[in-house]
Amino acid sequence: MKRYFIYLGYNGKNFCGWQIQPNGATVQQSIETALSTLLRKPVSVVGAGRTDAGVHARLMVAHFDWEDTIEDLAFLTKKMNRLLPKDIAIYQIVPVIPEAHARFDATSRTYKYYVTTQKDPFNYDFVYRISGKPDFEQMNEACKVLFDYVDFTSFSKLHTDVKTNICHIYRAGWEKEGDSDVWVFTIRADRFLRNMVRAIVGTLLEVGRGKLSIEGFRKVIESKNRCDAGTSVPGQALYLVDVTYPEHLFNS
């Protein structure tokens, strides 16, 4: 069997997340259906993560196996893009070593979350509009606290099936996007828990609004209790933007 990585992006507005669900359209289901149609045999796809309903991906990676070498991957990419709905785009398909795994071999994942204080009829589906302007400098000070910890149980959705809540965060911070009134939170880590980014953003907004001190933010993490953290922000402003892998996986 030959293994391939698919690099793709999608607008998550009309999907119930990445993972196949019993009721509702998902990105994984769409990719599997397109591949199975074109290759004329059932094909299973494994993604680098499980984005929730409404969450977008500027870059997602998934893998699939095929019984033989696919000679023209550019042609398969083109055919898939014709078959898939307009809110999913395949960027490229590349061969990898048979042991490569889109989820378990990822060395880092990067997410971005967008907020704004201005009403805009053209971006309300993709940016979270907040009331008032929080103190982003204070929120960035709170972000530094994240690097002191690896157990982020306080920011995890309850009753998940993961074996550990340990994550290593490499980057976290807020930046203003050009001259606009949009602020972007960027976070990169080796892995993320269910709902983790949205819970962190919701808690950081409490810091920015003066409802939670930086020391209080630290105590939220140390409590390892989801009930102590802030409310999760909506999914429509969250984007998976990058997934990285070791180079040796591509020496197929």
Side-chain angles (χ1 to χ4, degrees), residues 67-240:
E67 57 197 23
D68 203 354
T69 300
I70 301 174
E71 297 295 345
D72 196 339
L73 293 172
F75 181 70
L76 179 60
T77 299
K78 185 176 180 180
K79 295 287 284 186
M80 285 190 70
N81 278 322
R82 286 182 177 177
L83 200 56
L84 287 164
K86 61 184 179 181
D87 36 17
I88 301 177
I90 306 298
Y91 303 139
Q92 63 175 336
I93 303 173
V94 298
V96 292
I97 62 175
E99 300 80 18
H101 197 286
R103 180 181 177 188
F104 298 131
D105 284 331
T107 53
S108 75
R109 298 164 175 83
T110 304
Y111 282 89
K112 289 182 181 290
Y113 194 91
Y114 294 77
V115 302
T116 183
T117 59
Q118 295 292 324
K119 184 177 182 180
D120 187 335
F122 301 106
N123 74 356
Y124 65 91
D125 276 339
F126 307 103
V127 179
Y128 177 41
R129 185 188 174 199
I130 57 177
S131 58
K133 185 176 181 180
D135 186 338
F136 286 99
E137 287 188 13
Q138 189 76 347
M139 290 158 68
N140 272 332
E141 286 300 311
C143 285
K144 296 175 183 178
V145 174
L146 293 167
F147 302 117
D148 295 336
Y149 299 91
V150 294
D151 189 327
F152 294 101
T153 301
S154 295
F155 300 127
S156 173
K157 188 174 183 178
L158 298 174
H159 311 302
T160 62
D161 58 357
V162 298
K163 296 179 180 179
T164 176
N165 288 335
I166 301 300
C167 308
H168 299 89
I169 294 178
Y170 307 130
R171 177 186 177 186
W174 291 87
E175 292 179 326
K176 196 170 186 293
E177 191 175 67
D179 296 327
S180 69
D181 194 63
V182 174
W183 286 79
V184 187
F185 175 66
T186 303
I187 184 166
R188 181 167 63 91
D190 61 343
R191 62 189 292 267
F192 288 91
L193 308 173
R194 288 288 305 277
N195 209 49
M196 179 173 164
V197 180
R198 292 161 61 189
I200 288 176
V201 172
T203 310
L204 287 172
L205 286 172
E206 290 198 355
V207 173
R209 289 165 175 155
K211 296 180 179 179
L212 184 68
S213 66
I214 292 177
E215 187 56 33
F217 184 74
R218 183 182 294 277
K219 289 180 179 178
V220 165
I221 300 173
E222 291 178 349
S223 74
K224 300 178 184 179
N225 186 339
R226 179 65 186 89
C227 296
D228 291 340
T231 303
S232 292
V233 288
Q236 89 274 4
L238 179 62
Y239 299 73
L240 174 62

Side-chain angles (χ1 to χ4, degrees), residues 8-16 18 25-27 30-31 55-58 80-91 126:
L8 68 144
Y10 52 86
N11 176 338
K13 179 182 177 181
N14 296 319
F15 295 102
C16 298
W18 164 266
T26 68
V27 181
S30 299
I31 300 297
V55 175
H56 316 290
R58 296 192 186 281
M80 285 190 70
N81 278 322
R82 286 182 177 177
L83 200 56
L84 287 164
K86 61 184 179 181
D87 36 17
I88 301 177
I90 306 298
Y91 303 139
F126 307 103

